Amino acid sequence: WYQRRVREAVVSTQSTGEEEAVRLAQEEADRKLEEKENKLKKREELRKELRGKLEEPTKEHTISLLFRLPNGSRVARAFLPEVCVKELYEFAFTCEDAPNFFTLITNFPKRILPAYDAPDALLSCRDIGLENSTTLFLQEDDSESELSSVSEAEV
């Protein structure tokens, strides 16, 4: 009789501990999901804010760039040659179907443009050799690295 009572108490304690572990795991998963949703919401707000700030130049001496998004859509826009790479990232980020995290890449010659928050991102299109009618591809980054795209802290 005593051993049966002890066994029942042990089983009861184990199931309570397991329930607690499951509850804690669920709370952690809920917290992570909420953080991710908040981060995506902030990035969407940033995207809207940047759309309002970026205006297309009207000068004659501009370079025309074509942005190819991961879904195959294209967006063309003129920029002054003095515009820095950082502003190209900001414009690309405002495109309708742009991913949240991406890297800009030229096709020919193939090269990766400096990341949004890299020191070289302050170089102008002229400095890095971007010419008229260049196509820039937005390569989606799965890592969600703030180094490869527009970050909230930078704007």
XYZ file of all heavy atoms in Angstrom, residues 88-148:
486
model
N 20.370 53.979 -52.185
C 19.864 52.938 -53.084
C 19.165 51.846 -52.271
O 18.105 51.352 -52.655
C 20.995 52.339 -53.916
C 21.736 53.279 -54.858
C 22.831 52.517 -55.597
C 20.792 53.955 -55.822
N 19.774 51.465 -51.139
C 19.147 50.483 -50.253
C 17.813 51.014 -49.729
O 16.818 50.288 -49.679
C 20.054 50.145 -49.068
C 21.010 49.021 -49.343
C 22.324 49.273 -49.739
C 20.622 47.692 -49.215
C 23.205 48.238 -49.981
C 21.495 46.653 -49.456
C 22.786 46.934 -49.845
O 23.650 45.897 -50.092
N 17.787 52.283 -49.339
C 16.547 52.856 -48.820
C 15.454 52.839 -49.880
O 14.307 52.494 -49.593
C 16.788 54.275 -48.302
C 17.595 54.303 -47.025
C 17.966 55.701 -46.573
O 17.738 56.677 -47.327
O 18.506 55.823 -45.454
N 15.810 53.207 -51.113
C 14.809 53.168 -52.176
C 14.332 51.735 -52.425
O 13.139 51.475 -52.518
C 15.338 53.753 -53.490
C 14.366 53.552 -54.609
C 13.235 54.341 -54.704
C 14.548 52.542 -55.529
C 12.295 54.128 -55.705
C 13.630 52.319 -56.539
C 12.498 53.111 -56.626
N 15.274 50.812 -52.532
C 14.909 49.418 -52.795
C 14.012 48.879 -51.680
O 13.069 48.123 -51.943
C 16.164 48.559 -52.932
N 14.269 49.272 -50.462
C 13.475 48.829 -49.321
C 12.029 49.299 -49.433
O 11.116 48.637 -48.963
C 14.113 49.332 -48.031
C 13.411 48.901 -46.783
C 13.414 47.568 -46.389
C 12.740 49.810 -45.991
C 12.773 47.164 -45.234
C 12.092 49.416 -44.833
C 12.109 48.087 -44.462
N 11.813 50.454 -50.076
C 10.454 50.990 -50.199
C 9.665 50.348 -51.330
O 8.464 50.578 -51.430
C 10.471 52.516 -50.431
O 11.076 52.796 -51.689
C 11.188 53.235 -49.314
N 10.293 49.567 -52.172
C 9.572 48.910 -53.273
C 8.508 47.973 -52.697
O 8.724 47.315 -51.683
C 10.533 48.138 -54.172
S 11.685 49.193 -55.055
N 7.388 47.903 -53.387
C 6.217 47.176 -52.902
C 6.507 45.748 -52.439
O 6.094 45.342 -51.379
C 5.147 47.150 -53.996
C 3.817 46.648 -53.521
C 3.139 47.549 -52.501
O 3.294 48.774 -52.585
O 2.466 47.005 -51.618
N 7.196 44.954 -53.238
C 7.424 43.546 -52.913
C 8.843 43.255 -52.443
O 9.298 42.114 -52.511
C 7.107 42.675 -54.137
C 5.640 42.757 -54.511
O 4.805 42.797 -53.592
O 5.322 42.783 -55.714
N 9.525 44.279 -51.960
C 10.907 44.080 -51.499
C 10.924 43.244 -50.227
O 10.071 43.411 -49.354
C 11.578 45.422 -51.235
N 11.898 42.337 -50.110
C 12.022 41.568 -48.868
C 12.503 42.477 -47.742
O 13.025 43.568 -47.983
C 13.068 40.509 -49.210
C 13.832 41.072 -50.356
C 12.899 41.962 -51.096
N 12.335 42.032 -46.523
C 12.781 42.829 -45.378
C 14.295 42.874 -45.254
O 14.852 43.836 -44.763
C 12.171 42.295 -44.083
C 10.740 42.723 -43.925
O 10.389 43.855 -44.218
N 9.904 41.813 -43.476
N 14.970 41.819 -45.691
C 16.417 41.749 -45.576
C 16.984 41.317 -46.920
O 16.612 40.267 -47.441
C 16.824 40.770 -44.466
C 16.242 41.149 -43.139
C 15.048 40.610 -42.700
C 16.878 42.086 -42.347
C 14.495 40.985 -41.486
C 16.334 42.462 -41.132
C 15.144 41.915 -40.704
N 17.888 42.118 -47.475
C 18.411 41.829 -48.808
C 19.780 42.462 -49.004
O 20.218 43.295 -48.217
C 17.443 42.334 -49.887
C 17.191 43.824 -49.827
C 18.015 44.716 -50.493
C 16.139 44.325 -49.085
C 17.786 46.081 -50.422
C 15.899 45.683 -49.005
C 16.728 46.567 -49.680
N 20.415 42.040 -50.090
C 21.688 42.600 -50.525
C 21.510 43.041 -51.972
O 20.839 42.367 -52.746
C 22.794 41.524 -50.446
O 22.871 41.058 -49.094
C 24.147 42.086 -50.852
N 22.105 44.172 -52.346
C 22.048 44.639 -53.731
C 23.249 44.093 -54.501
O 24.382 44.191 -54.031
C 22.051 46.170 -53.789
C 20.790 46.861 -53.285
C 20.974 48.373 -53.275
C 19.589 46.482 -54.133
N 22.970 43.542 -55.679
C 24.009 42.915 -56.494
C 23.857 43.386 -57.931
O 22.736 43.460 -58.451
C 23.883 41.376 -56.436
C 24.052 40.893 -54.999
C 24.881 40.700 -57.359
C 23.815 39.418 -54.808
N 24.977 43.714 -58.576
C 24.940 44.022 -60.013
C 25.168 42.724 -60.772
O 25.789 41.793 -60.268
C 26.030 45.045 -60.408
O 27.307 44.482 -60.141
C 25.867 46.348 -59.659
N 24.665 42.700 -62.002
C 24.773 41.480 -62.801
C 26.072 41.443 -63.604
O 26.762 40.441 -63.635
C 23.568 41.365 -63.733
C 23.469 40.004 -64.366
O 23.903 39.021 -63.789
N 22.898 39.948 -65.552
N 26.386 42.561 -64.273
C 27.583 42.575 -65.107
C 28.290 43.899 -64.969
O 27.713 44.929 -65.333
C 27.219 42.325 -66.568
C 28.436 42.159 -67.436
C 29.122 40.963 -67.450
C 28.906 43.204 -68.205
C 30.249 40.810 -68.230
C 30.034 43.063 -68.986
C 30.703 41.855 -69.004
N 29.469 43.976 -64.477
C 30.201 42.865 -63.869
C 29.545 42.506 -62.537
O 29.063 43.369 -61.821
C 31.602 43.405 -63.657
C 31.415 44.887 -63.525
C 30.231 45.224 -64.403
N 29.545 41.224 -62.228
C 28.884 40.749 -61.010
C 29.668 41.204 -59.788
O 30.845 40.907 -59.645
C 28.766 39.235 -61.012
C 27.937 38.749 -59.848
C 27.475 37.336 -60.034
C 26.603 36.980 -58.856
N 25.416 36.311 -59.228
N 28.972 41.944 -58.915
C 29.576 42.379 -57.654
C 28.485 42.717 -56.653
O 27.364 43.066 -57.022
C 30.503 43.563 -57.861
C 29.812 44.777 -58.370
C 30.767 45.878 -58.662
N 30.055 46.874 -59.433
C 30.443 48.092 -59.584
N 31.564 48.489 -59.061
N 29.728 48.935 -60.287
N 28.839 42.597 -55.414
C 27.920 42.888 -54.314
C 28.186 44.313 -53.849
O 29.327 44.677 -53.555
C 28.125 41.895 -53.162
C 27.833 40.484 -53.647
C 27.255 42.259 -51.976
C 28.187 39.395 -52.650
N 27.136 45.115 -53.781
C 27.290 46.478 -53.296
C 27.509 46.461 -51.786
O 27.064 45.534 -51.105
C 26.054 47.307 -53.629
C 26.079 48.036 -54.978
C 26.227 47.077 -56.130
C 24.865 48.900 -55.158
N 28.175 47.470 -51.250
C 28.410 47.506 -49.798
C 27.092 47.432 -49.038
O 26.078 47.969 -49.478
C 29.083 48.861 -49.578
C 29.636 49.248 -50.907
C 28.741 48.627 -51.932
N 27.111 46.773 -47.901
C 25.919 46.645 -47.053
C 25.467 48.029 -46.595
O 26.250 48.981 -46.537
C 26.224 45.754 -45.859
N 24.197 48.113 -46.231
C 23.575 49.388 -45.849
C 24.355 50.132 -44.775
O 24.547 51.334 -44.862
C 22.144 49.130 -45.370
C 21.434 50.371 -44.903
C 20.858 51.238 -45.815
C 21.340 50.682 -43.552
C 20.212 52.384 -45.395
C 20.691 51.816 -43.125
C 20.124 52.665 -44.050
O 19.481 53.799 -43.631
N 24.825 49.427 -43.769
C 25.508 50.106 -42.666
C 27.029 49.968 -42.715
O 27.710 50.280 -41.754
C 24.963 49.645 -41.316
C 25.092 48.155 -41.115
O 25.513 47.462 -42.051
O 24.754 47.680 -40.017
N 27.558 49.534 -43.856
C 29.012 49.455 -44.027
C 29.556 50.854 -44.308
O 28.866 51.697 -44.877
C 29.353 48.516 -45.186
N 30.795 51.126 -43.941
C 31.376 52.445 -44.219
C 31.364 52.783 -45.718
O 31.169 53.939 -46.089
C 32.809 52.328 -43.697
C 32.771 51.230 -42.693
C 31.707 50.285 -43.159
N 31.539 51.775 -46.564
C 31.541 52.023 -48.009
C 30.167 52.377 -48.548
O 30.039 52.803 -49.689
C 32.072 50.797 -48.760
C 33.571 50.601 -48.558
O 34.224 51.538 -48.055
O 34.064 49.513 -48.889
N 29.115 52.210 -47.770
C 27.765 52.541 -48.217
C 27.592 54.043 -48.399
O 26.631 54.492 -49.008
C 26.725 52.006 -47.246
N 28.544 54.817 -47.895
C 28.486 56.263 -48.067
C 29.140 56.715 -49.370
O 29.097 57.896 -49.715
C 29.123 56.967 -46.868
C 28.413 56.700 -45.534
C 29.166 57.348 -44.389
C 26.974 57.177 -45.572
N 29.731 55.768 -50.108
C 30.293 56.099 -51.413
C 29.170 56.368 -52.395
O 28.095 55.784 -52.312
C 31.163 54.943 -51.935
C 32.435 54.639 -51.139
C 33.089 53.376 -51.682
C 33.391 55.811 -51.201
N 29.432 57.237 -53.362
C 28.394 57.580 -54.337
C 28.337 56.540 -55.449
O 29.245 55.712 -55.610
C 28.685 58.954 -54.945
O 29.808 58.879 -55.797
N 27.270 56.598 -56.218
C 27.127 55.701 -57.380
C 28.317 55.888 -58.320
O 28.845 54.920 -58.855
C 25.830 56.006 -58.124
S 24.356 55.572 -57.205
N 28.726 57.114 -58.501
C 29.869 57.409 -59.369
C 31.140 56.766 -58.813
O 31.919 56.167 -59.551
C 30.057 58.917 -59.499
C 31.234 59.312 -60.378
C 31.413 60.817 -60.471
N 30.296 61.404 -61.197
C 29.647 62.496 -60.808
N 29.996 63.130 -59.716
N 28.657 62.977 -61.508
N 31.338 56.872 -57.500
C 32.539 56.320 -56.858
C 32.651 54.808 -57.020
O 33.748 54.274 -57.156
C 32.576 56.660 -55.368
C 32.748 58.149 -55.097
O 33.215 58.872 -56.009
O 32.396 58.581 -53.985
N 31.534 54.113 -56.974
C 31.592 52.654 -57.087
C 31.413 52.164 -58.523
O 31.429 50.972 -58.784
C 30.566 51.962 -56.163
C 29.140 52.314 -56.563
C 30.844 52.265 -54.719
C 28.108 51.460 -55.876
N 31.254 53.103 -59.449
C 31.215 52.738 -60.865
C 29.858 52.323 -61.401
O 29.796 51.670 -62.447
N 28.773 52.701 -60.737
C 27.443 52.412 -61.292
C 27.182 53.365 -62.445
O 27.313 54.576 -62.304
C 26.351 52.564 -60.232
C 26.229 51.459 -59.205
C 25.055 51.744 -58.271
C 26.040 50.106 -59.856
N 26.806 52.802 -63.564
C 26.566 53.604 -64.760
C 25.092 53.579 -65.116
O 24.302 52.835 -64.545
C 27.411 53.047 -65.912
C 28.901 53.102 -65.628
C 29.711 52.428 -66.717
O 29.122 51.965 -67.713
O 30.934 52.371 -66.570
N 24.752 54.397 -66.110
C 23.382 54.455 -66.587
C 22.915 53.075 -67.057
O 23.698 52.307 -67.611
C 23.271 55.471 -67.726
C 21.859 55.963 -67.897
O 21.019 55.810 -67.018
N 21.583 56.543 -69.047
N 21.669 52.771 -66.847
C 21.028 51.520 -67.272
C 21.592 50.285 -66.572
O 21.584 49.204 -67.144
C 21.137 51.353 -68.789
O 20.529 52.439 -69.433
N 22.052 50.431 -65.363
C 22.520 49.288 -64.585
C 21.334 48.615 -63.916
O 20.413 49.275 -63.453
C 23.532 49.734 -63.514
O 24.663 50.321 -64.151
C 23.988 48.571 -62.645
N 21.367 47.296 -63.885
C 20.340 46.532 -63.180
C 20.903 46.077 -61.838
O 22.000 45.532 -61.776
C 19.902 45.298 -64.000
O 19.366 45.747 -65.249
C 18.848 44.496 -63.264
N 20.142 46.330 -60.791
C 20.510 45.902 -59.445
C 19.512 44.835 -58.998
O 18.305 45.044 -59.045
C 20.479 47.081 -58.466
C 21.467 48.203 -58.738
C 21.217 49.368 -57.794
C 22.880 47.707 -58.589
N 20.037 43.708 -58.570
C 19.203 42.615 -58.102
C 19.128 42.651 -56.589
O 20.147 42.838 -55.925
C 19.776 41.264 -58.557
C 19.719 41.074 -60.043
C 20.726 41.568 -60.855
C 18.657 40.405 -60.617
C 20.680 41.401 -62.223
C 18.600 40.236 -61.995
C 19.613 40.731 -62.803
N 17.930 42.461 -56.054
C 17.753 42.361 -54.611
C 17.812 40.880 -54.264
O 16.905 40.124 -54.605
C 16.403 42.915 -54.175
C 16.301 44.424 -53.985
C 16.294 45.132 -55.319
C 15.074 44.763 -53.205
N 18.899 40.466 -53.637
C 19.044 39.075 -53.225
C 18.588 38.969 -51.786
O 19.161 39.590 -50.892
C 20.481 38.602 -53.361
C 20.658 37.154 -52.968
C 22.088 36.686 -53.166
O 22.964 37.442 -53.557
N 22.318 35.429 -52.895
N 17.539 38.192 -51.573
C 16.960 38.060 -50.250
C 17.914 37.346 -49.310
O 18.542 36.357 -49.668
C 15.640 37.296 -50.330
C 14.874 37.286 -49.051
C 13.451 36.805 -49.225
O 13.077 36.378 -50.330
O 12.711 36.860 -48.239
N 18.021 37.872 -48.087
C 18.840 37.264 -47.042
C 17.909 36.605 -46.038
O 17.017 37.250 -45.501
C 19.692 38.311 -46.309
C 20.786 38.890 -47.188
O 21.131 38.245 -48.187
O 21.272 39.971 -46.858
N 18.135 35.336 -45.763
C 17.308 34.612 -44.802
C 17.784 34.828 -43.380
O 17.064 34.555 -42.432
C 17.330 33.110 -45.100
C 16.666 32.807 -46.426
O 15.759 33.556 -46.812
O 17.070 31.827 -47.071
N 18.986 35.326 -43.240
C 19.587 35.436 -41.904
C 18.981 36.540 -41.062
O 19.218 36.614 -39.873
C 21.084 35.682 -42.043
O 21.292 36.937 -42.660
N 18.205 37.427 -41.660
C 17.649 38.591 -40.982
C 18.749 39.430 -40.352
O 18.593 40.028 -39.301
C 16.610 38.196 -39.933
C 15.394 37.548 -40.521
C 14.264 37.365 -39.526
O 14.370 37.871 -38.394
O 13.282 36.740 -39.899
N 19.869 39.492 -41.019
C 20.996 40.276 -40.536
C 20.744 41.751 -40.798
O 20.417 42.141 -41.898
C 22.274 39.844 -41.251
O 23.283 40.777 -41.036
N 20.897 42.560 -39.796
C 20.710 43.983 -39.955
C 21.815 44.611 -40.822
O 21.703 45.721 -41.266
C 20.680 44.688 -38.597
C 19.502 44.293 -37.743
C 18.157 44.689 -38.309
O 18.069 45.724 -38.998
O 17.192 43.955 -38.102
N 22.907 43.873 -41.020
C 24.012 44.420 -41.780
C 23.722 44.463 -43.270
O 24.356 45.197 -43.993
C 25.265 43.552 -41.559
C 25.772 43.513 -40.128
C 26.958 42.546 -40.042
C 26.166 44.882 -39.662
N 22.758 43.701 -43.738
C 22.558 43.599 -45.167
C 21.384 44.395 -45.685
O 21.134 44.408 -46.871
C 22.363 42.128 -45.554
O 21.220 41.640 -44.894
